[in-house]
Amino acid sequence: MNTFMNFLAIAALFALVLLPALIGLARERRIDRELRAAEHERRAEPPETAGAAQPVTATRRPYPRVGARV
C-alpha cells in the first residue's frame, strides 16, 4: 500500500510540473490556428486598394561633405 501511495504522490507532482507547459502549448496551438484562419480569410478577400495610387517615395540626399559649402 505504501508503494502505491508513493507512486500516486510522484504522479501528482509530475502532473503539477507539466501542467503549465501543457496549458502554454494548448494556447500556442489556438493562437496559431487563429492566425492561419485570419491569413486564409485575408487571401480570400479581394484587395480593397487595387486601383489606389501608390505612395510617393522620396530619395534621400546624401549628407554634405565636411568643409563643403552648402
Side-chain angles (χ1 to χ4, degrees):
M1 184 73 165
N2 196 16
T3 303
F4 182 68
M5 293 299 284
N6 287 342
F7 175 76
L8 285 179
I10 296 298
L13 288 174
F14 191 68
L16 284 174
V17 169
L18 284 180
L19 188 63
L22 294 176
I23 291 172
L25 180 66
R27 182 173 182 257
E28 289 289 326
R29 290 179 58 100
R30 179 182 55 85
I31 291 171
D32 287 343
R33 197 168 39 246
E34 289 176 2
L35 286 174
R36 264 187 258 116
E39 180 69 22
H40 182 67
E41 287 178 13
R42 189 175 68 89
R43 287 187 183 186
E45 295 176 359
E48 296 175 9
T49 59
Q54 297 295 323
V56 177
T57 57
T59 57
R60 291 182 58 177
R61 295 189 317 185
Y63 292 108
R65 286 186 244 153
V66 176
R69 293 188 181 185
V70 180

